[in-house]
Amino acid sequence: MFFAAALALQGQGTSVAQISGTVQDSTGLAIPSAQVTITNTDTGAVRTVQSGPDGSYILSNLPVGPYRLQVTKDGFSAYVQSGIVLQVNTNPEINVSMKVGSVSEQVMVEANAAMVETHSNGVGQVIDQQRVVDLPLNGRNVTQLIALSGAAVSNTGGGIVNNLNYPTAAAFSIAGGQGNATNYFLDGATHIDPRTNVGLPLPFPDALQEFKVETSALPANYGSHPGGAVNAVTKSGTNSIHGDAFEFLRNYVFNARNVFAATRDSLKRNQFGGVLGGPIIKNKLFFFTGFQGTTERTAPATNVAFVPTAAVLAGNFQTILGPGCQKNPVTLNAASGAVNNIIPTSKLNPVALKFASLLPVSTDPCGKELYGVPSIDNEYQGVARADWQRTPTDLIFFRYFVANYGLDAFYDKSNLLTAGAPGLLDQVQALNAGDTYLISSNTVSSFRATFSRSAINRVGAAGVPNMAQLGSAVSSPIANYTGQVQISNYFSTGAIPGYVFTNIYGLSEDLGMTKGAHQIAFGANWTHTQMNALGPFQMNPRMTFNGQLTGNALADFMTGSMDTMLQGGGQYARDGQNMPSLYVQDNWRLTSRLQINGGLRWDPFIPQHQAYGYATQFEPSKFYAGQVSKVFTNAPPGVTFAGDAGFPGKSDTYPRYGDFAPRVGLVYDPRGKGT
């Protein structure tokens, strides 16, 4: 099939982190009402909370980056810890020990927080910015680094990824899950191609801050895909101006020839671009932008086909079917009109002769022809982001990411075989706007509005004729597409064009609050997905010649003796789906060593609907009863359509509103020190 609908994705990712811990005196007694202040040293953003009666504190929904922690309390020296670096969706615990003294005195600690997970049941690994930039990547494709988590394996088989997806789509099986059962998020927004539920491309290394791969018992804000989650975060501007420019060149002229190869490889790849970020208003408004261009050229690989020779074009099959070319020589049967393997020219089909005129005439007596198709492709990526600290309690950001990929459709007009693969005109766009608002020191609201679009265009090369232009009486409505012509054991043609456009609209709200020993989160998410597509794989005819009529497939072709011809209306998709969800999560710290995590997620299944009503059902009971559709009376018994009694609207299945997903887990810290 050209495409398949798989519109089923939902979940709320996170692009933030949190710090928690306990404030104690030197004897280990809790210090309540201590003022805990965290400062982002890159942007100057400040957050403050007070420790609870048991000395505990939580600072949630913090953007990733470097921080300084300060704790003050009358009668104690101020505690200051620098060197804290928060990574995406991490929950380090920093326990503070304060000494009796004057507030004007400071106890300075220069140490990073121990990145031991003592908060969530999820198991994950952060691929930080240094590894994103420094590790070698073929083509600077960041998705390759997902495999570093250890629980992730690339899984692109089974039609999950093909040229109906963006070329650098991510498909990973995490912790044994299916290759398309992984959630992908970019800056907290869903980042998935809903056609097959694989990840959209990630920004180039210089524009990506880091990402985290998670699995196991994830909290209730994650839904739908059980295999795991990949949370990626783009870079943002800071109070300092930072940037870089780069160019990476890979050219076969600099390579030695592989000792086992006849020639050197032919790859020529040039990747260039840069990034720039900094303040617009210090401590208030920041920008970040980046661009990467990739140009790639490869010389054609050698393909082998067997085409008509000059003798065959004159009806003489004696050599090509003789012992010099065939392991078992072939004698054409009477249906071919041949005498001694020579077909009269009057029996040769004029459409086949016109088709053959677009093929090279092989000088090999057996018709062997070697040919190649050069690959010429370009990709351009751009990222733009703005972060606005509107007030000390309100942080707003906007991010736009676009990736364009083009693969030239090639056609050597002297050889129709070179038009066997379509060109590509692909574009992915992803927008994300967010507002993190501190309702109080213990309550945080996080709102996200998102949109992403994947536009995949498979195009035929200009000048490729269709069968009608070659003189055939069949209808050929698609230009630059011959159709699929298959001559068994000789050659085949047909680069199927078409398009697949998928859109995702999303709104989400997360509300987190701390009540004593409870950290409670509520969330609501609404996602609408669309898929608009055309797969014209049978709109132009599909012809097969296999030798059943004359005794040889090439003779079948030259005489116009088809074994099969398939033609249909193609595949149209105008699918849409609404996916609401709700969740609640309570992380309850019973003691300094033991925490119980419980959550519940409601993920109702509302089936996708087809705008044109292209949906059918087969019911065995109606088949055995001989009942036929009242909409399409010529359809076989048992097959029903939209408009028939009992048919579920414009979909082919029924909704399920009772889908609940509970989450329960324990987190145990043997020493109670968060290390």
Side-chain angles (χ1 to χ4, degrees), residues 140 142 202-208 246 274-275 290-292 381-383 401:
R140 289 170 56 82
V142 174
L202 293 178
F204 58 97
D206 299 70
L208 197 68
F246 58 85
V275 296
F291 167 81
Q292 174 179 277
Q381 288 191 10
V383 177
F401 168 61

Side-chain angles (χ1 to χ4, degrees), residues 515-572:
K515 296 290 186 183
H518 295 267
Q519 185 178 6
I520 304 170
F522 303 91
N525 181 61
W526 173 82
T527 302
H528 177 72
T529 62
Q530 297 174 339
M531 182 171 72
N532 302 317
L534 170 64
F537 74 115
Q538 286 184 1
M539 295 179 73
N540 287 9
R542 177 180 180 181
M543 302 178 177
T544 302
F545 303 85
N546 61 13
Q548 289 191 17
L549 299 175
T550 67
N552 175 258
L554 187 59
D556 275 4
F557 170 72
M558 294 300 297
T559 57
S561 304
M562 281 185 293
D563 175 63
T564 61
M565 189 188 86
L566 301 176
Q567 191 163 21
Q571 291 179 321
Y572 289 89

